[in-house]
Amino acid sequence: MEAEPRAVDRPRRIPGGRDGRRMLLVAFLDRIGSGLWASVSVLYFTYVSGLSVAQVGTLAAVSGAIGIAGAPLGGRIADRFPLTRVLIALQLLRALASFALLTTDHYPLLLAFSAVGSLGDRASSVLTKLYATRVAGPDRVRYQAVNRTASNAGWALGGLAAAAALTLGTTTAYRWLLAGDGISFVAVALLTLTCAEPPSTGRVAATAKDAPCTARPANPWRDRTYLAYVATETVLSLDDTVFKVGLPLWIAHSHGVPHGLAPLLLVLNNVMVVGLQVPLARYGATTTAARRLLLPLSAAFALGGITLALSATGGTLQAICLLTASAAAFTLAEMLHATVSWELSVALAPETAQGAYLGVHGLAQATQRSIGPLAATAAIATGPLGWTVFGATIAVTCAIQHRLVRDRLQRTPLSVPPVTVSEH
């Protein structure tokens, strides 16, 4: 009898209770540090470490390739060890990797340290998503939207600090930005100590009763539809590469465009997410609604590629305006994709194997971090046509995923089960 008033009030509160709020603070602090580093990492390796464009792209690709193992590893760990303790260990690993980068400009060591950081980053990303899924239950899309808002607020603050530091134009400023990233990981590890272990959402109890009735396999590696979905997710996740590699390198090698524009565009990205991610999340709260968002998502990706290509056709002012428009289009695509991905990645997975399925889904982002830098540098080397093809390829992949998910939905009503997560 008391459940109905709580259900009415729930949308007005942050899902997940006290621990959910603490994890939002963790995300905020984590992203402040990441904002300090992400927008200038390419510039750091270029101007401080003295690497070429090819070396920077290869470094990002190799570290991303090694980081791929972190996603499925994180999924397996989630079924065997407490989430909070593993998250603490991963944050400390990321801190060590960041501090280690400060100790050398030797290319093989830079590759090794970047790879360790990428492995920890991918594993922690999967475990953080699983934590949110367990602590928020059926409100997972809204919680993830609030989480993303907090994260991007942190990114914006870090990006603003990075932009200010770049005005100094010294190697010391770059090194302090990297050190700040490492310090943030130590801080969030300490804060995570205060978070309780989330409930398992009753998945074990539901297994014996529900497993015989489901047509979906418990092993994601045997679920061909889910694997195909993850493959399309890899392409749709390339918006991350645009902001971390594509735009900074494109700006660094464009005549007349100030280098300080790169972190400012990242700030724009984060400000837009802070203001719009939660309102947009309501349009993808169910599986069917999330699938419909794939069509406007396709248009946003295509627009981002075209405007980025056109930025090379005019003077400085026109280039700045078009680069800003491209950043806005890719940010819209990022927000729509985040909403779609949050819902579909969980809804397409059986509750009895969420950790394993989310671990496989994490391969999309991890793989993108490997092939994404190569795709971005290839687009830069090709010129404006390269960016047009880049955006068009992702747009077409959106249409493919739209068809793929439709076929799955016709066989299984996936938008209903998440409601049962909170029915203890």
Side-chain angles (χ1 to χ4, degrees):
M1 297 297 294
E2 296 179 357
E4 293 184 1
R6 284 197 296 269
V8 172
D9 294 337
R10 185 172 58 191
R12 297 188 179 92
R13 302 196 302 264
I14 296 176
R18 182 181 62 183
D19 291 319
R21 291 190 292 271
R22 287 179 177 176
M23 288 304 292
L24 292 177
L25 180 58
V26 165
F28 177 72
L29 295 176
D30 185 330
R31 295 308 175 182
I32 287 179
S34 296
L36 290 173
W37 173 241
S39 61
V40 302
S41 61
V42 169
L43 301 178
Y44 176 93
F45 290 126
T46 300
Y47 297 113
V48 178
S49 300
L51 304 184
S52 66
V53 173
Q55 286 179 314
V56 172
T58 302
L59 183 147
V62 171
S63 62
I66 296 176
I68 290 175
L73 180 62
R76 289 182 64 86
I77 290 176
D79 294 330
R80 301 184 181 186
F81 301 98
L83 281 178
T84 52
R85 297 301 178 261
V86 178
L87 280 170
I88 291 170
L90 290 173
Q91 296 290 10
L92 293 177
L93 178 66
R94 296 168 73 191
L96 288 174
S98 295
F99 292 134
L101 287 173
L102 289 168
T103 65
T104 183
D105 290 330
H106 193 48
Y107 190 59
L109 290 177
L110 291 175
L111 279 172
F113 297 147
S114 296
V116 171
S118 179
L119 186 72
D121 180 71
R122 289 297 85 211
S124 64
S125 177
V126 170
L127 294 184
T128 300
K129 183 174 182 178
L130 183 59
Y131 187 100
T133 299
R134 291 181 176 180
V135 79
D139 287 332
R140 61 175 177 266
V141 172
R142 183 171 179 271
Y143 179 84
Q144 290 279 22
V146 176
N147 180 282
R148 186 169 174 77
T149 299
S151 297
N152 280 269
W155 273 94
L157 289 177
L160 285 173
L166 285 183
T167 61
L168 300 177
T170 64
T171 58
T172 300
Y174 281 106
R175 294 183 185 278
W176 272 111
L177 292 174
L178 177 54
D181 187 31
I183 292 171
S184 72
F185 294 141
V186 175
V188 298
L190 294 175
L191 183 58
T192 305
L193 280 171
T194 67
C195 296
E197 185 68 15
S200 62
T201 68
R203 293 180 295 127
V204 175
T207 302
K209 179 176 65 177
D210 297 336
C213 300
T214 181
R216 290 174 291 178
N219 185 349
W221 297 106
R222 297 179 181 176
D223 190 336
R224 288 180 294 180
T225 300
Y226 198 84
L227 291 177
Y229 163 71
V230 171
T232 61
E233 281 286 275
T234 301
V235 179
L236 268 59
S237 299
L238 287 174
D239 60 84
D240 183 66
T241 297
V242 171
F243 286 98
K244 291 185 177 179
V245 178
L247 279 172
L249 273 181
W250 184 253
I251 290 172
H253 293 83
S254 296
H255 298 293
V257 178
H259 293 172
L261 181 63
L264 291 179
L265 291 181
L266 187 58
V267 170
L268 171 65
N269 168 269
N270 287 278
V271 169
M272 287 182 63
V273 172
V274 168
L276 299 175
Q277 186 69 77
V278 173
L280 284 176
R282 72 183 67 178
Y283 298 107
T286 68
T287 308
T288 302
R291 173 180 168 266
R292 285 197 297 264
L293 286 181
L294 286 167
L295 298 179
L297 174 60
S298 177
F301 275 125
L303 179 62
I306 292 172
T307 51
L308 188 53
L310 292 175
S311 68
T313 62
T316 299
L317 181 59
Q318 178 179 328
I320 292 175
C321 292
L322 287 170
L323 286 169
T324 303
S326 179
F330 277 116
T331 300
L332 176 60
E334 176 187 332
M335 291 185 291
L336 292 176
H337 177 235
T339 299
V340 172
S341 182
W342 293 333
E343 175 58 24
L344 296 185
S345 62
V346 177
L348 291 170
E351 290 185 16
T352 56
Q354 282 184 344
Y357 269 70
L358 290 181
V360 172
H361 180 263
L363 287 173
Q365 186 62 240
T367 303
Q368 177 277 139
R369 292 199 173 192
S370 177
I371 67 173
L374 297 179
T377 52
I380 292 172
T382 306
L385 178 61
W387 283 120
T388 303
V389 173
F390 182 91
T393 300
I394 308 177
V396 171
T397 306
C398 289
I400 294 173
Q401 186 178 113
H402 185 270
R403 174 64 179 271
L404 178 69
V405 175
R406 185 196 67 179
D407 293 341
R408 179 73 165 240
L409 290 176
Q410 289 176 343
R411 296 195 301 270
T412 308
L414 297 173
S415 60
V416 176
V419 180
T420 65
V421 174
S422 62
E423 296 175 358
H424 298 300

